């Protein structure tokens, strides 16, 4: 595995860990370590700027989908300061219900901008 692919996978795994962290203090520490101070997140349903808003958004997802887990789908891909990867979300131990693809811009190895697309969303999700 080349260095860019290894780094892409590691960064994507850390990103997924943020979305799976239900403890606000631990989640804040993960965001602090992996995201720039002025990081932005946007998808078709939400947007957030900065660590506090991003953490709050993750908390809302946990409230809406209790017990659901994010997982990487396929492999992360990177070139330069750009990264893309797909993910799934569903009840722990069950088939995923939601799938998406995120495009990331990095700054010195930290996430500075994430644009998310929803690839599969069931009615009513």
């Amino acid at each position: 595995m080349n260095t860019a692919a290894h780094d892409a996978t590691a960064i994507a795994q850390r990103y997924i860990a943020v979305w799976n962290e239900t403890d606000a203090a631990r989640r804040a520490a993960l965001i602090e370590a992996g995201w720039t101070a002025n990081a932005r997140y946007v998808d078709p349903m939400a947007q957030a700027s900065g660590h506090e808003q991003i953490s709050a958004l993750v908390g809302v997802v946990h409230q809406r989908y209790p017990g659901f887990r994010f997982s990487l789908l396929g492999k992360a891909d990177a070139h330069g300061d750009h990264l893309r990867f797909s993910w799934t979300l569903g009840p722990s131990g069950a088939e995923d219900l939601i799938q998406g693809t995120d495009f990331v811009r990095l700054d010195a190895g930290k996430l500075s901008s994430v644009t998310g697309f929803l690839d599969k969303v069931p009615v009513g999700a």
Side-chain angles (χ1 to χ4, degrees), residues 50-100:
H51 293 177
E52 287 183 21
Q53 285 186 15
I54 292 167
S55 185
L57 175 60
V58 174
V60 168
V61 171
H62 284 288
Q63 289 174 357
R64 182 162 181 187
Y65 301 104
F68 279 35
R69 302 286 295 168
F70 285 87
S71 298
L72 282 179
L73 179 64
K75 68 181 191 85
D77 188 28
H79 66 85
D81 288 336
H82 302 275
L83 174 69
R84 72 172 175 193
F85 53 86
S86 296
W87 49 264
T88 63
L89 174 64
S92 186
E95 183 181 350
D96 66 82
L97 298 176
I98 300 170
Q99 292 180 0

Side-chain angles (χ1 to χ4, degrees), residues 5-78:
H6 176 73
D7 290 347
T9 299
I11 291 167
Q13 288 171 338
R14 288 192 299 269
Y15 173 83
I16 294 293
V18 166
W19 284 93
N20 282 332
E21 183 53 67
T22 57
D23 181 86
R26 286 195 302 260
R27 185 169 61 241
L30 290 172
I31 292 171
E32 177 75 28
W35 298 61
T36 63
N38 61 346
R40 293 185 35 81
Y41 174 90
V42 62
D43 70 24
M45 298 170 27
Q47 59 183 9
S49 297
H51 293 177
E52 287 183 21
Q53 285 186 15
I54 292 167
S55 185
L57 175 60
V58 174
V60 168
V61 171
H62 284 288
Q63 289 174 357
R64 182 162 181 187
Y65 301 104
F68 279 35
R69 302 286 295 168
F70 285 87
S71 298
L72 282 179
L73 179 64
K75 68 181 191 85
D77 188 28

